[in-house]
Amino acid sequence: MTDLAALKHALQAFHDELAQRFRAGAPIESLIHARADFVDALLRGCWRRLGDHAATAALVAVGGYGRRELHPHSDIDLLVLVPEAPPPALTEKLGRLFTLLWDIGLKPGHSVRTVPQCLEAAATDQTVVTNLMDARRLDGDPDLFAAMKAGIAPQRLWPSDAFFRAKLAEQEARYAKYHDTAYNLEPNLKEGPGGLRDIQTVAWVIKRHFDTATLRELVARGFLDEAEYAELRRALHHLWRVRFALHLLAGRCEDRLLFDYQRDLARQFGHRGDGNAPVEAFMQDYFRTARSVQCLNEILLQRLGEALNPGFRAEAQILDDRFQIVNGYLEIRRPELFRQDPLTLLEVFLQLQRHPELKGIRADTVRAIRRHLHLIDDRFRADPKACRLFLEIFRQPAGVTHQLRRMNRYGVLAAYLPEFARIVGRMQYDLFHSYTVDAHILFTVRNLRRLGLPRHRDEVPFAAAVFPQLSRPEILYLAGLYHDMGKGWGGDHSVIGERLARAFCRRHGLDEHDTELICWLVRHHLLMSVTAQRKDIQDPDVVAEFACQVGNEERLDHLYLLTVADIRATNPTLWNSWRDSLLQELYLATRRVLRQGKQPIDARARIDGRREAAIEQLRQLGLDTEAVRPVWNTFSHDYFLRCHPDECVWHTVAIAATADDDLPLVMIRPHDHRGSTDVFIYMRDRDGIFAHTVALLDRLGLTILTARLDTTDDGYAVNSFRVLERDGTPITELAREQQIAQQLKRCLKTPTPHCFRITRRPGRQLRHFSLPTQVRFSEDAKGHTVMELVAADRPGLLAAVAKVFDEFGLRLHEARISTLGQRAEDVFHLTDRCNLPLAEDRRRQLAARLTAALGGS
């Protein structure tokens, strides 16, 4: 057996042994240290093959490997210290060494430096000095290693107070990357808030200041008590075990708890049950651990910050007989305060709102809050004073979001609202949410709050302009708090949430008007988004029906703002100018109807008005208005009802100037009034136009938002599509417009299978969700059959649906496409070839065929 084969075999055999020991329940600390020790021995053997060079240079482990923390597929970070620029012979030998390590599967990350080069890099970059602080000499010249360690001592560079500030800034930037929440549905257990990096940050700070590598020092120096130290160790070991198992499952260095692995991990960690219950239990364990780490990290960094500040003096500024300010933090004046007066467990957050200059709660007070959570019991919750304090938090002009998130982090919110405790860390398996239920709710309240703050006005300008119309914003915040509170109870979460909200309002003494408004908003919080995205809001009947459901302007204002905040809190990529425009348009149309006393809109008058507006635009362009009338005479009433005057002008001018020989006519307008891109197609009508068009648009990397399909009296298809790029932005480059138009024109004129072959791969998450295809039917006022389709989005979904329509000989009049994450919720308006609605048996056959064509999921 060659050396390479022997080393690979030894490494694999030890890997298999560690995996077996892990499954047998061996202590996790012993496993990660054992792997580091094994790699140490392997590397020393390889290093000594360098001959004389092995004694004049030094092989050093840095980073996690330097700490002896090696998981199954952790990177092996190495530093080779050399006395001077390495001679060619050493460079060649090192190259062969690192190639060997790669070949056997160790994946080393390495650098070759002199001691002065190390110190120069460390002086300007705290990440370099952090890596070197964890360094261990594996072999070679001990003097080189000692010189490097002496050179990075705090007395020479990065004194402990400067190092602490740099680490604090690094953590803040890292938190921002994960939207300041640990509650992502696929969290990063190393880098995310509450992950391993939070513990390592504390360890690095104490190592820099106290020259100790053990967290136990935190107890000896009074930064943690024994219970907190035990909590920190349990959290560390749990995260280590999850990471170890994740590496084994993934077969690589993977630190994200992806959906791909959650079910297997849940089983490995002993969670049983039906459906998603095991995964939810496993992930809630993880989120509880992350919250614990975040809390302890906050306490420790604050205490360490005071210890590392040479000028710190714990001078108290008295606020009243219960609270004081120390170093910019709020502190209780007596350790027994919470036990003597439990209501101060809520008042402490109100004090922070009344003093926005404060940086937070002092560490000892945070510890006291966590120790006294048991005092928030049924008697506490029923106390009218507690209810008034809780409502007062929502009524404050500042700090609502920060204090709710702080209350959630410390466990106070879950203790005060048992219904909230049920959704803390609760997963959402719906293909479009990015956060747990509690994180989504708090993001929704945050978004509502930002609408009222001038510095955030530019985020959603129209919604920010509506916000001042609210007389009491706290009503909207409470509706936001409860809008998804009913999830996880079994049943319609909107109905359950309404019941929970009503109980909250009664307990807190809200009057009947406010109670009914909050409960209505919770019950109907999806109404506006469903109407805007699934229905034709150009149809006066749709707007009139929505106005009847809303009832008055007060409800409309609140519902509009809640809808905006809810969508923006669902998924960072879900909100775009298209959804913004749709909601704004529906809001304005509904407000007009409500102000007119809900009088029905005259469709004929609306059509005439649009035609007249289009004629006026044509006159302003200096065009012969009489030339367009022959074109318009063939158009349906629906065309004018659904098209804005500028669209009519755009279409009409092009059609009038195009001969039959030049068809199909394909035009692109890059940015319309709704922030999307218009694609217009005019050609002789034939079967398959819609199927071919949607397949090609998918192939070109476009997301279809709506499709309007008309056929003129003389047999021409007049089809309009609104599209966005896959990332949710409109088309902005002329070359991109030309590419789309040219390919559409060529492929629609002479269809070939190649034109419509879709190469896009299904999203990774689809494999881990069971979403049965759902098909529902109704009828609209025009006599069309309205088909609602809910299915997992996949490449070619619309094309597959269109092919089924062609098989059944159906006419498609309009399609509204709504893709939420990887969940498609599409609405189609259909008739048969004679423009009649579909009979009941035909509907059943169509539903069965679609389910079969889409694979049932």
Side-chain angles (χ1 to χ4, degrees):
M1 183 181 291
T2 65
D3 285 350
L4 175 62
L7 288 172
K8 288 182 72 171
H9 177 77
L11 188 61
Q12 185 61 50
F14 189 75
H15 175 89
D16 294 342
E17 179 191 335
L18 281 186
Q20 186 175 359
R21 288 167 59 188
F22 175 76
R23 287 189 286 269
I28 188 62
E29 196 165 14
S30 69
L31 297 179
I32 61 175
H33 290 341
R35 184 162 192 269
D37 294 343
F38 178 85
V39 174
D40 285 355
L42 187 152
L43 288 177
R44 288 190 186 104
C46 294
W47 176 259
R48 287 167 187 169
R49 297 182 184 186
L50 298 180
D52 294 342
H53 295 299
T56 58
L59 180 65
V60 179
V62 293
Y65 180 32
R67 297 191 300 273
R68 290 180 68 224
E69 296 173 9
L70 278 190
H71 291 264
H73 294 282
S74 294
D75 292 338
I76 310 299
D77 293 325
L78 297 170
L79 167 66
V80 176
L81 286 173
V82 291
E84 56 190 13
L90 177 57
T91 300
E92 182 182 348
K93 288 185 176 183
L94 288 174
R96 288 201 298 269
L97 169 64
F98 294 128
T99 298
L100 173 66
L101 298 181
W102 270 101
D103 289 343
I104 65 175
L106 278 184
K107 295 182 296 185
H110 66 276
S111 59
V112 180
R113 289 175 174 169
T114 64
V115 170
Q117 286 172 334
C118 287
L119 301 184
E120 182 182 358
T124 57
D125 189 340
Q126 57 87 11
T127 61
V128 174
V129 79
T130 302
N131 247 356
L132 296 179
M133 283 165 48
D134 287 331
R136 283 187 305 119
R137 186 182 71 89
L138 300 176
D139 210 331
D141 187 350
D143 293 335
L144 277 177
F145 180 75
M148 183 273 290
K149 292 293 282 185
I152 64 167
Q155 299 82 2
R156 299 193 176 185
L157 52 82
W158 288 104
S160 52
D161 57 337
F163 181 77
F164 170 78
R165 290 193 297 272
K167 281 298 172 193
L168 204 58
E170 180 185 65
Q171 178 168 294
E172 289 172 359
R174 180 166 51 82
Y175 273 31
K177 180 181 176 182
Y178 296 96
H179 306 285
D180 290 309
T181 180
Y183 299 122
N184 294 284
L185 295 188
E186 294 184 307
N188 188 308
L189 61 80
K190 180 180 177 183
E191 299 288 345
L196 286 166
R197 191 67 82 202
D198 280 11
I199 301 175
Q200 291 163 1
T201 296
V202 171
W204 286 324
V205 170
I206 64 171
K207 187 172 188 176
R208 194 74 184 152
H209 187 65
F210 298 118
D211 193 25
T212 178
T214 172
L215 292 171
R216 183 78 200 176
E217 189 74 19
L218 293 167
V219 179
R221 296 183 180 271
F223 291 103
L224 285 180
D225 61 28
E226 288 289 350
E228 289 167 331
Y229 173 71
E231 180 184 353
L232 185 62
R233 292 291 295 176
R234 281 194 303 272
L236 176 62
H237 286 180
H238 182 70
L239 292 176
W240 272 347
R241 286 193 66 80
V242 173
R243 190 180 187 216
F244 201 97
L246 182 57
H247 278 208
L248 291 177
L249 266 178
R252 64 178 186 274
C253 184
E254 177 60 79
D255 295 321
R256 298 166 299 165
L257 281 171
L258 302 177
F259 293 127
D260 307 55
Y261 310 118
Q262 289 176 9
R263 197 167 297 279
D264 285 338
L265 286 170
R267 178 180 51 78
Q268 287 189 32
F269 279 75
H271 297 287
R272 301 289 181 264
D274 298 328
N276 293 321
V279 181
E280 291 180 356
F282 167 74
M283 292 303 296
Q284 282 191 303
D285 276 354
Y286 168 78
F287 290 126
R288 279 192 287 266
T289 300
R291 185 173 69 176
S292 171
V293 169
Q294 256 192 297
C295 258
L296 293 171
N297 170 273
E298 178 183 343
I299 290 169
L300 287 167
L301 289 183
Q302 188 190 129
R303 293 289 308 277
L304 288 166
E306 292 178 357
L308 300 179
N309 182 356
F312 173 74
R313 296 177 62 188
E315 295 180 353
Q317 174 189 342
I318 307 301
L319 283 180
D320 55 30
D321 62 337
R322 291 164 301 167
F323 298 102
Q324 61 190 20
I325 299 173
V326 177
N327 194 33
Y329 289 90
L330 185 68
E331 183 177 61
I332 54 175
R333 295 188 62 190
R334 303 185 304 279
E336 67 277 9
L337 177 64
F338 292 137
R339 181 175 52 80
Q340 294 172 346
D341 184 4
L343 291 182
T344 49
L345 285 165
L346 288 180
E347 190 177 357
V348 65
F349 302 99
L350 190 57
Q351 287 284 356
L352 282 176
Q353 290 178 289
R354 290 170 174 167
H355 297 276
E357 74 279 4
L358 294 178
K359 294 183 283 188
I361 301 175
R362 199 154 187 244
D364 285 343
T365 300
V366 173
R367 299 161 100 176
I369 290 171
R370 299 175 79 223
R371 284 198 300 267
H372 290 90
L373 287 176
H374 65 279
L375 298 176
I376 305 179
D377 53 16
D378 288 342
R379 182 178 177 183
F380 181 105
R381 299 181 197 104
D383 190 327
K385 293 180 181 177
C387 293
R388 284 196 295 273
L389 281 170
F390 189 74
L391 288 181
E392 197 60 32
I393 289 171
F394 286 83
R395 292 171 176 147
Q396 293 303 301
V400 174
T401 299
H402 289 305
Q403 298 322 312
L404 285 176
R405 295 179 74 169
R406 198 185 302 272
M407 291 167 75
N408 188 33
R409 190 161 67 248
Y410 300 159
V412 173
L413 197 54
Y416 183 72
L417 298 175
E419 57 268 36
F420 189 85
R422 287 179 64 103
I423 51 95
V424 171
R426 179 170 289 279
M427 300 288 285
Q428 303 196 74
Y429 292 92
D430 53 17
L431 285 172
F432 60 94
H433 276 91
S434 291
Y435 308 108
T436 57
V437 181
D438 57 322
H440 166 70
I441 282 175
L442 295 181
F443 273 127
T444 300
V445 176
R446 181 204 68 172
N447 291 342
L448 291 170
R449 182 73 190 121
R450 287 161 79 106
L451 293 174
L453 300 176
R455 65 181 179 275
H456 297 295
R457 190 171 293 151
D458 291 340
E459 291 178 0
V460 194
F462 185 80
V466 172
F467 189 88
Q469 299 178 40
L470 306 185
S471 58
R472 294 190 311 286
E474 67 268 18
I475 300 302
L476 184 59
Y477 302 153
L478 290 170
L481 181 67
Y482 271 83
H483 82 283
D484 272 358
M485 197 81 82
K487 288 188 172 179
W489 293 71
D492 186 333
H493 78 278
S494 299
V495 175
I496 296 167
E498 179 187 16
R499 174 171 55 80
L500 296 172
R502 191 173 299 280
F504 172 89
C505 292
R506 287 173 177 165
R507 176 157 67 95
H508 288 78
L510 273 69
D511 64 30
E512 184 176 354
H513 174 272
D514 291 349
T515 297
E516 292 307 317
L517 178 55
I518 290 171
C519 291
W520 185 88
L521 288 168
V522 172
R523 176 69 181 85
H524 299 284
H525 70 272
L526 297 174
L527 175 63
M528 192 167 195
S529 61
V530 168
T531 302
Q533 294 179 113
R534 297 192 194 177
K535 298 184 179 182
D536 180 9
I537 60 175
Q538 296 295 313
D539 186 336
D541 292 333
V542 169
V543 177
E545 179 187 1
F546 177 70
C548 286
Q549 292 174 289
V550 172
N552 58 56
E553 284 193 57
E554 181 185 40
R555 282 182 175 180
L556 177 64
D557 290 342
H558 284 77
L559 180 60
Y560 166 65
L561 297 174
L562 178 57
T563 303
V564 169
D566 187 15
I567 294 175
R568 296 183 71 226
T570 298
N571 183 318
T573 64
L574 199 58
W575 182 256
N576 55 35
S577 56
W578 163 254
R579 288 189 168 89
D580 186 8
S581 170
L582 277 182
L583 293 174
Q584 181 177 330
E585 189 172 335
L586 179 57
Y587 171 85
L588 290 172
T590 306
R591 190 176 67 178
R592 282 194 298 270
V593 173
L594 293 172
R595 289 181 176 180
Q596 293 165 4
K598 290 181 251 185
Q599 295 298 316
I601 300 172
D602 186 344
R604 181 71 251 179
R606 183 167 184 169
I607 290 170
D608 291 343
R610 290 197 165 181
R611 289 172 67 121
E612 290 170 8
I615 289 290
E616 181 56 33
Q617 287 189 29
L618 288 167
R619 287 197 188 100
Q620 291 176 7
L621 292 171
L623 300 174
D624 180 6
T625 58
E626 290 304 315
V628 307
R629 296 194 185 278
V631 177
W632 284 4
N633 288 338
T634 65
F635 284 0
S636 68
H637 291 318
D638 281 350
Y639 172 85
F640 291 101
L641 196 60
R642 296 185 301 196
C643 280
H644 281 254
D646 63 322
E647 286 182 277
C648 295
V649 171
W650 182 49
H651 298 164
T652 303
V653 171
I655 291 171
T658 303
D660 266 15
D661 291 345
D662 293 330
L663 296 182
L665 169 66
V666 178
M667 300 194 301
I668 306 243
R669 187 164 58 167
H671 202 289
D672 70 359
H673 68 286
R674 285 182 175 166
S676 57
T677 295
D678 273 357
V679 177
F680 177 70
I681 297 169
Y682 177 78
M683 62 184 295
R684 276 284 180 188
D685 196 18
R686 62 166 173 80
D687 290 341
I689 294 177
F690 179 72
H692 290 159
T693 303
V694 297
L696 186 58
L697 292 175
D698 192 333
R699 183 169 179 260
L700 290 169
L702 296 168
T703 297
I704 300 169
L705 304 170
T706 64
R708 298 198 311 265
L709 299 98
D710 281 289
T711 304
T712 64
D713 293 343
D714 54 348
Y716 287 85
V718 183
N719 296 347
S720 293
F721 297 83
R722 285 198 170 99
V723 302
L724 292 172
E725 297 282 14
R726 200 81 75 197
D727 63 1
T729 59
I731 297 165
T732 56
E733 296 180 1
L734 179 60
R736 176 71 163 148
E737 295 175 43
Q738 292 172 340
Q739 174 204 23
I740 295 166
Q742 288 168 3
Q743 290 203 36
L744 272 173
K745 185 177 179 71
R746 183 175 64 252
C747 291
L748 289 173
K749 188 169 186 175
T750 312
T752 64
H754 173 75
C755 290
F756 313 109
R757 187 175 297 118
I758 297 169
T759 57
R760 179 168 61 97
R761 293 183 177 180
R764 172 184 56 80
Q765 295 180 351
L766 282 179
R767 300 195 303 272
H768 312 290
F769 292 88
S770 176
L771 181 61
T773 299
Q774 304 168 47
V775 183
R776 294 186 291 269
F777 295 98
S778 60
E779 286 191 19
D780 63 15
K782 300 169 188 173
H784 298 160
T785 295
V786 180
M787 189 192 87
E788 296 182 56
L789 172 70
V790 177
D793 186 32
R794 63 174 176 80
L797 175 71
L798 276 179
V801 171
K803 286 180 181 178
V804 173
F805 291 165
D806 287 344
E807 287 176 25
F808 276 67
L810 303 181
R811 294 190 64 184
L812 175 61
H813 299 267
E814 183 178 4
R816 300 188 69 79
I817 313 304
S818 178
T819 303
L820 306 172
Q822 296 184 48
R823 173 189 175 103
E825 298 184 357
D826 303 338
V827 179
F828 305 90
H829 293 248
L830 305 163
T831 63
D832 63 17
R833 291 293 189 198
C834 300
N835 284 328
L836 296 175
L838 307 187
E840 187 63 35
D841 62 336
R842 198 68 169 153
R843 294 180 182 185
R844 285 195 297 270
Q845 293 168 8
L846 177 60
R849 181 69 186 91
L850 281 169
T851 302
L854 302 181
S857 63

